[in-house]
């Protein structure tokens, strides 16, 4: 291994860079999770979490990865044999589907080419055709981290409403929450699934389910096997600021600090910043002459950018060179994009000069890897970052009430 100095560039789209403030907030003695001091922390993080999901309904926090929170959504709200409608936006949609299959759900999946967000027209057509209302849930990935395409959740909700279909709307916003607009209540989402290590700027280890009254009622009536993931046990314990089992105490200290940082910046500014970094990154990719995985401009993700390498070149060879020479981790292509694409994370704790360092590392790496490209992508990104009209203007207004 080469010797490296300074900070490692962790530009994968999760886990993301953890702010020093959050690291310091977690550097605390672990306390009694049944004591009064803990209850205060418990109440604070539950309330703060609601402010990020934008909900007044319960947010359930698990000591788990995002995958655990996927499973929790399924085992609480659905039973084996239930029909669900999913859409193939990319590898994360495929993994959620595999989990649903293992939970013995009857999955109807709208096919996709991994180059755009959810096909809302097709969702609507299948819901309209489901006269008997056999479909119990529509399950969509908000920010598909394998392709850098987003799905437009309000459009999915509108399609469900037009079809007058009573299915639950379940959304994976593991890599969307805290980096792009999300409105659990206003968008009529029944279960929002998330995790700590993407837009929330925390280490891995917390899983989230924000749940509607309708989803809670469905869970109450659902006798399918579950214990650790059971929403009602947790909601009941949360009323006293505690959990039915040992929560990830120190990650909760971090969560409190990370959400405070999001509100100090203002959620609107956080989202504008991610969009701006996405635009600057795509400007660089355009000059390099490389192809974006996402082919639908309306679906470009503000959180990351997935880039194809030309045929005959290996994206992982390129990533290896960037890691060895410049100490920067870029995201690998997942599943059918393995070797064909790499992903640039610009999500979470991030700023203009970190983006410039990232893009400079990519441009130098393209050269060293012998990948044909035009020079000057970094300059194109600089031009965007210098433009006054893209600078954050909005005053922070989303502070926790
Ligand atoms: C990261 C991610 C997950 C899975 O989270 P884990 O913490 O790795 O289990 C699920 N969905 C999306 C969209 C993700 O980006």
């Amino acid at each position: 291994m080469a010797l490296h100095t300074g900070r490692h560039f962790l530009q994968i789209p999760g886990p993301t860079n953890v702010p020093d403030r959050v690291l310091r907030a977690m550097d605390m003695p672990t306390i009694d999770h049944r004591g009064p001091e803990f209850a205060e922390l418990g109440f604070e993080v539950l309330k703060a979490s609601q402010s990020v999901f934008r909900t007044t309904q319960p947010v359930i926090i698990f000591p788990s990865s995002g995958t655990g929170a996927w499973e929790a959504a399924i085992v609480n709200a659905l039973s084996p044999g239930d029909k669900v409608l999913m859409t193939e936006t990319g590898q994360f949609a495929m993994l959620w589907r595999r989990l649903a299959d293992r939970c013995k759900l009857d999955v109807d999946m709208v096919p996709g080419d991994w180059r755009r967000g959810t096909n809302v027209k097709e969702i609507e057509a299948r819901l309209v055709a489901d006269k008997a209302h056999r479909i119990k849930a529509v399950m969509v990935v908000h920010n598909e981290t394998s392709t850098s395409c987003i799905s437009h959740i309000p459009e999915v909700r509108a399609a469900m409403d037009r079809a007058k279909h009573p299915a639950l709307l379940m959304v994976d916003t593991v890599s969307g929450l805290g980096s792009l607009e999300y409105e659990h209540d206003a968008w009529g989402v029944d279960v929002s699934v998330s995790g700590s290590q993407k837009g929330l700027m925390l280490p891995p280890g917390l899983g989230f389910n924000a749940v509607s009254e309708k989803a809670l009622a469905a869970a109450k009536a659902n006798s399918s096997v579950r214990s650790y993931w059971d929403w009602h046990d947790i909601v009941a314990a949360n009323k006293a600021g505690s959990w039915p089992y040992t929560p990830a105490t120190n990650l909760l200290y971090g969560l409190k600090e990370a959400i405070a940082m999001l509100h100090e910046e203002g959620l609107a500014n956080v989202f504008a910043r991610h969009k701006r970094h996405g635009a600057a990154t795509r400007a660089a990719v355009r000059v390099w002459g490389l192809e974006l995985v996402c082919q639908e401009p309306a679906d470009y993700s503000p959180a990351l950018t997935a880039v194809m390498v030309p045929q005959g070149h290996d994206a992982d060879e390129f990533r290896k060179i960037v890691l060895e020479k410049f100490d920067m981790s870029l995201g690998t292509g997942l599943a059918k994009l393995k070797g064909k694409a790499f992903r640039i994370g610009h999500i979470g704790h991030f700023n203009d000069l970190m983006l410039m360092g990232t893009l400079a590392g990519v441009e130098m790496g393209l050269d060293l890897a012998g990948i044909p490209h035009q020079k000057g992508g970094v300059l194109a990104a600089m031009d965007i970052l210098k433009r006054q009209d893209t600078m954050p203007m909005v005053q922070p207004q989303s502070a926790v009430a």
Side-chain angles (χ1 to χ4, degrees), residues 38-51 59 61 208 243 249 251-257 259:
F38 182 87
E40 199 179 309
L41 173 67
F43 287 129
E44 276 174 333
V45 293
L46 288 167
K47 187 158 177 221
S49 300
Q50 287 176 310
S51 74
V59 175
I61 307 175
F208 299 85
W243 267 258
T249 312
L251 280 170
L252 297 179
Y253 283 125
L255 177 63
K256 183 179 148 188
E257 189 71 9
I259 295 179

Side-chain angles (χ1 to χ4, degrees), residues 285-338:
V285 173
R286 226 165 276 132
V287 169
W288 292 329
L290 299 179
E291 192 181 321
L292 297 168
V293 172
C294 187
Q295 288 187 319
E296 183 57 56
D299 300 348
Y300 288 153
S301 170
L304 77 149
T305 303
V307 183
M308 307 289 292
V309 296
Q311 276 216 332
H313 294 273
D314 182 346
D316 286 336
E317 255 323 294
F318 157 75
R319 289 175 49 255
K320 188 163 164 251
I321 289 170
V322 171
L323 179 61
E324 282 171 2
K325 294 283 178 201
F326 306 116
D327 195 24
M328 174 162 72
S329 297
L330 294 167
T332 185
L334 295 174
K336 73 178 187 186
L337 292 173
K338 180 115 191 97

Side-chain angles (χ1 to χ4, degrees), residues 13-14 64-68 70 92-93 95 141-146 172-176 195-198 204-206:
S64 79
S65 82
T67 301
W70 266 346
F92 286 98
L95 290 173
V141 176
H142 180 210
N143 185 64
E144 178 52 81
T145 326
S146 62
D172 164 342
T173 187
V174 176
S175 62
S196 53
Q197 78 274 27
K198 314 260 168 105
L206 294 178

Side-chain angles (χ1 to χ4, degrees), residues 263-284:
H263 288 305
E264 281 167 25
E265 183 176 358
L267 288 178
N269 286 327
V270 171
F271 304 147
R273 165 166 61 81
H274 282 83
K275 286 200 183 84
R276 190 162 162 270
H277 288 158
T281 302
R282 290 190 302 274

Side-chain angles (χ1 to χ4, degrees), residues 186-204:
W187 293 351
V189 181
D190 292 296
V191 186
S192 297
V193 176
S194 199
S196 53
Q197 78 274 27
K198 314 260 168 105
L200 291 180
M201 310 182 288
L202 292 160

